[in-house]
Amino acid sequence: MDQFTVWDIVRNLLLATRWTIVLSVIAFVGGGIVGFAIMLLRVSDLRALRALSIAYIDVLQGTPLLMQLFLCFFGISLLGFEISPLVAASIALTAYSSAYLAEIWRGCVDAIPKGQREAAESLGFRFIDMLRYVILPQAIRIAVAPTVGFSVQVVKGTALASIIGFVELTKAGTIITNATFKPFLVYGFVAIIYFALCYPLSVWSRDFERRLRAAH
Amino acid sequence: MRYHFDFLAVLEYWPLLVRGALLTLVLTFIAIVFGTLLGVAGAYIRSARVPVLSAVVAGYVELIRNTPFIVQLFFVFFGLPSLGLKISAVEAALLAMTLNLGAYAVEIVRAGIESIGRGQLEAGEALGMTRFQIFLHVVLLPALRNVYPSLISQFVILMLGSSVASQISAEELTFAGNFIQSRDFRSFEVYFIISAVYLVFAFAIRRAFGVIGRFAFARR
């Protein structure tokens, strides 16, 4: 291999982009499921459950994603399991996303006027039914825009998986830079590809927000 | 297999950890100062709709917000030298952090400016103030007060993001961790302790800026 054409660089970056997308989807879906559960604890009536969920959110929002990746990668292998960078990154990014999504969604639930909850309670709704039939249908509408907005953070977060050796877009960029000595060109393309992934999500989220505001 | 945890082995390297932690705080503090100034300047340009400049700021904001910090850091650290600009790891980290915070701060401060009622601006105009005077004396302080909590959250995210600077060998807290890890292989203990330090820092930044805000935005 003596010469990398610009096309070679772009093609290899695009191939690696598939893994960025795969990891983003895993983290977003996993984070959504775990985050929803944490959000339920966060808005529940039991003080102990609320305290537990607050601690979970505070720890994950108060430590760097990079540390969470390292702790998953090294910590799980201490337990005696062989763990691949993809699995470690999936777990860490799921945990990271779940904390932020739980907090975002909690805000949406809180935005529903208190009277709604009290009305449901006075009608004898159980906690779960009150959420299901009264609060969530209204909260989901407000939640769409910030949730799509957060997906941008997830895509960008996958870039750190490169540090524990997972070959996605950023890692591919580093490998190609080491082979070509053209950091400006390669990282320029890397940035453009991330931008192409994230910008539509940003615009989409802003659109939802505007439409919601217009509807009121 | 049973693993024996040994946290004390890590703490033997405490001078290294302290030095790394200090650099993390210094990097964060300087980036906060310059990033916030950048954000205020950008927000003024955007909301005053200065021709050309306004579009440039909008492009900068979108570019930074839609690409990962680590790519911005690599771009600055590995990219600039190929343009003939020699730059140290710490300088690169500072530059990337400032540019990163600046972009988010533009949007946050802009939201604050938009929250100020029209009547305030009209009152300023009636007093014969120029547009810039109105911004400086009438709009800025209440605008910042309204969005201060979001700004603090962004400071915390910035501080946590600085751990990535270890990847260009800026000798901050995470770099110290990686160094210790490569010496005695106590990876879990090392990163556990360092995570705890970051957690304390995140808490401290929220508290410290909360107190600063109470003084800065005290209603006079």
Side-chain angles (χ1 to χ4, degrees):
Chain A
M1 166 183 63
D2 46 0
Q3 199 69 56
F4 262 91
T5 64
V6 170
W7 170 238
D8 286 331
I9 293 174
V10 173
R11 199 189 42 175
N12 281 301
L13 288 177
L14 285 175
L15 285 175
T17 304
R18 291 178 308 174
W19 289 105
T20 289
I21 295 172
V22 167
L23 193 52
S24 300
V25 171
I26 293 175
F28 191 68
V29 173
I33 294 168
V34 179
F36 188 77
I38 301 293
M39 183 274 286
L40 288 183
L41 300 184
R42 184 72 181 76
V43 299
S44 76
D45 289 326
L46 291 170
R47 182 189 285 260
L49 292 183
R50 280 206 306 270
L52 202 69
S53 62
I54 291 173
Y56 178 87
I57 292 168
D58 279 355
V59 167
L60 283 163
Q61 291 194 348
T63 54
L65 175 57
L66 184 54
M67 287 303 112
Q68 295 157 21
L69 277 163
F70 281 159
L71 282 173
C72 277
F73 191 54
F74 295 112
I76 294 176
S77 59
L78 277 191
L79 298 175
F81 299 106
E82 277 292 318
I83 185 165
S84 72
L86 174 61
V87 175
S90 299
I91 295 173
L93 279 160
T94 293
Y96 164 83
S97 309
S98 72
Y100 281 89
L101 285 174
E103 194 64 2
I104 289 170
W105 291 340
R106 198 267 304 189
C108 297
V109 167
D110 276 358
I112 306 302
K114 220 174 156 201
Q116 299 278 324
R117 196 168 172 161
E118 287 164 356
E121 270 162 20
S122 68
L123 286 172
F125 276 76
R126 283 183 310 160
F127 177 72
I128 291 295
D129 290 334
M130 183 261 301
L131 278 177
R132 185 168 162 206
Y133 294 110
V134 181
I135 305 290
L136 290 185
Q138 304 180 72
I140 284 169
R141 264 167 51 82
I142 331 175
V144 174
T147 304
V148 174
F150 181 72
S151 67
V152 173
Q153 310 298 327
V154 177
V155 175
K156 292 191 294 178
T158 62
L160 292 190
S162 62
I163 299 175
I164 58 171
F166 181 61
V167 183
E168 38 63 76
L169 181 50
T170 304
K171 185 74 181 175
T174 304
I175 295 168
I176 295 171
T177 301
N178 290 340
T180 59
F181 304 111
K182 284 179 186 153
F184 217 70
L185 184 73
V186 178
Y187 287 120
F189 278 125
V190 170
I192 289 171
I193 296 175
Y194 275 112
F195 188 81
L197 290 176
C198 294
Y199 187 64
L201 294 171
S202 295
V203 172
W204 196 14
S205 139
R206 240 171 294 162
D207 246 30
F208 274 123
E209 212 171 316
R210 209 169 300 136
R211 228 175 300 160
L212 188 72
R213 221 177 297 147
H216 276 289
Chain B
M1 186 200 93
R2 262 193 72 78
Y3 182 82
H4 293 283
F5 289 101
D6 188 359
F7 289 94
L8 291 176
V10 175
L11 293 178
E12 276 170 24
Y13 292 91
W14 68 268
L16 212 66
L17 288 170
V18 169
R19 234 182 306 147
L22 278 179
L23 183 57
T24 289
L25 288 180
V26 169
L27 282 174
T28 305
F29 181 75
I30 299 178
I32 283 176
V33 171
F34 288 105
T36 306
L37 287 176
L38 193 60
V40 170
Y44 174 73
I45 290 170
R46 287 281 280 145
S47 61
R49 300 209 166 77
V50 181
V52 186
L53 262 187
S54 190
V56 171
V57 173
Y60 151 71
V61 170
E62 293 300 342
L63 202 64
I64 296 288
R65 280 162 43 112
N66 289 297
T67 52
F69 175 64
I70 186 172
V71 174
Q72 294 158 17
L73 189 67
F74 284 175
F75 196 77
V76 167
F77 185 63
F78 298 116
L80 287 187
S82 72
L83 290 185
L85 256 160
K86 275 261 166 259
I87 187 166
S88 77
V90 169
E91 287 162 351
L94 260 183
L95 183 57
M97 285 169 73
T98 303
L99 288 174
N100 187 277
L101 176 64
Y104 287 92
V106 167
E107 286 306 285
I108 294 172
V109 175
R110 200 157 75 101
I113 293 173
E114 275 166 20
S115 72
I116 303 300
R118 271 226 59 83
Q120 296 286 315
L121 308 184
E122 284 161 3
E125 276 167 26
L127 288 172
M129 294 168 110
T130 66
R131 205 190 225 163
F132 186 69
Q133 281 173 326
I134 294 174
F135 175 74
L136 208 60
H137 300 297
V138 181
V139 174
L140 186 56
L141 206 60
L144 285 178
R145 180 197 294 140
N146 286 352
V147 293
Y148 197 58
S150 321
L151 217 47
I152 297 181
S153 295
Q154 201 58 48
F155 295 164
V156 172
I157 291 173
L158 175 81
M159 187 274 293
L160 299 176
S162 74
S163 69
V164 175
S166 60
Q167 297 307 306
I168 58 168
S169 301
E171 299 182 346
E172 42 67 78
L173 187 53
T174 303
F175 183 89
N178 290 342
F179 180 85
I180 297 168
Q181 197 265 137
S182 67
R183 276 288 191 82
D184 66 1
F185 306 110
R186 297 249 161 231
S187 33
F188 186 80
E189 290 92 325
V190 172
Y191 296 124
F192 187 86
I193 289 173
I194 288 186
S195 298
V197 177
Y198 276 112
L199 197 59
V200 171
F201 282 180
F203 182 76
I205 285 179
R206 281 193 186 284
R207 268 303 173 81
F209 280 96
V211 170
I212 291 172
R214 265 209 296 289
F215 283 103
F217 303 127
R219 290 181 193 266
R220 277 166 285 220

